[in-house]
Amino acid sequence: MPEPTELEGTLSFATFVVEEGREVIATGDLKIVCAGSATIAGVITSHPNVTIEIVAAQSIEITGHIQAGEGGPGVGTRGRGRKGGDVRLEANSVTIRGGHVYAGRGGSASAGGSGGEGGSVFITANSLNADPKSLVRAGDGGAAGMAISPKAGGRFIDAGNGGDAGDLVIDVVESGGDQGDVPGGVTPTVGCCASGSNGARGASWP
């Protein structure tokens, strides 16, 4: 297995390809800008709290896996978990064939804190196609912090709340494939936004 390639920042390419069996790790927020097309047959992952963005003038095709990093944990008493990483895809056409696109889960809270917000997935395209084996999913909200019982003379700390789930935002002119239903009964169409609720699982498509 080849060593992973580490990338971060805004990087420009004529075309961008992650071949099957290869892995790219975003060590900081990563924006890939392509004058032509982007093909993801391998894997793109990221460090915690890091967002992955791909912008292509022509097309983005995903047969591999994109997974943004989870949010970091809360620190100290009542520390809120950090937000999970977003995934942003923008191109004339986006095709997902057996691939997975996942935003990061929100970070877990420390004692008495609230979980972090799940990352969101944003897809902007003139056309979007996905087969039934594909899955696009926003990040789940992070776990709530536990309650703390007081020691002698101490103070009780209530448990926190689960974090908000991420959003799935699909803005397309036309879409193909079996879209299915996003949890909450919302079917993604032009300009749709399916918002997660407190403690809910992130929305998914198709």
Side-chain angles (χ1 to χ4, degrees):
M1 176 77 69
E3 289 292 317
T5 299
E6 295 185 348
L7 299 175
E8 66 176 73
T10 299
L11 305 173
S12 298
F13 301 88
T15 59
F16 180 75
V17 178
V18 180
E19 298 176 346
E20 186 175 359
R22 299 301 300 262
E23 180 180 5
V24 170
I25 301 174
T27 54
D29 287 343
L30 175 64
K31 182 176 183 179
I32 300 294
V33 180
C34 300
S37 61
T39 302
I40 313 301
V43 175
I44 301 179
T45 60
S46 79
H47 284 188
N49 319 116
V50 168
T51 288
I52 299 167
E53 182 173 5
I54 303 175
V55 179
Q58 297 178 6
S59 64
I60 298 173
E61 182 171 0
I62 301 168
T63 56
H65 187 77
I66 298 176
Q67 170 71 70
E70 295 186 357
V75 178
T77 304
R78 295 192 179 92
R80 185 182 185 90
R82 297 185 65 186
K83 183 182 183 299
D86 295 335
V87 177
R88 297 174 178 268
L89 305 175
E90 181 178 347
N92 180 54
S93 67
V94 175
T95 301
I96 307 170
R97 300 194 186 282
H100 295 161
V101 178
Y102 296 153
R105 178 185 176 91
S108 298
S110 61
S114 295
E117 180 184 353
S120 296
V121 177
F122 302 88
I123 300 177
T124 303
N126 286 324
S127 66
L128 171 63
N129 291 277
D131 65 21
K133 295 182 180 179
S134 304
L135 183 61
V136 178
R137 188 172 165 207
D140 296 347
M146 299 182 298
I148 299 179
S149 298
K151 297 179 180 179
R155 186 163 52 90
F156 184 83
I157 297 177
D158 290 328
N161 296 315
D164 292 343
D167 296 336
L168 173 59
V169 181
I170 299 176
D171 188 0
V172 297
V173 174
E174 59 183 69
S175 60
D178 181 12
Q179 293 187 47
D181 290 332
V182 168
V186 179
T187 301
T189 54
V190 177
C192 125
C193 176
S195 297
S197 58
N198 188 44
R201 192 174 184 182
S204 62
W205 181 88

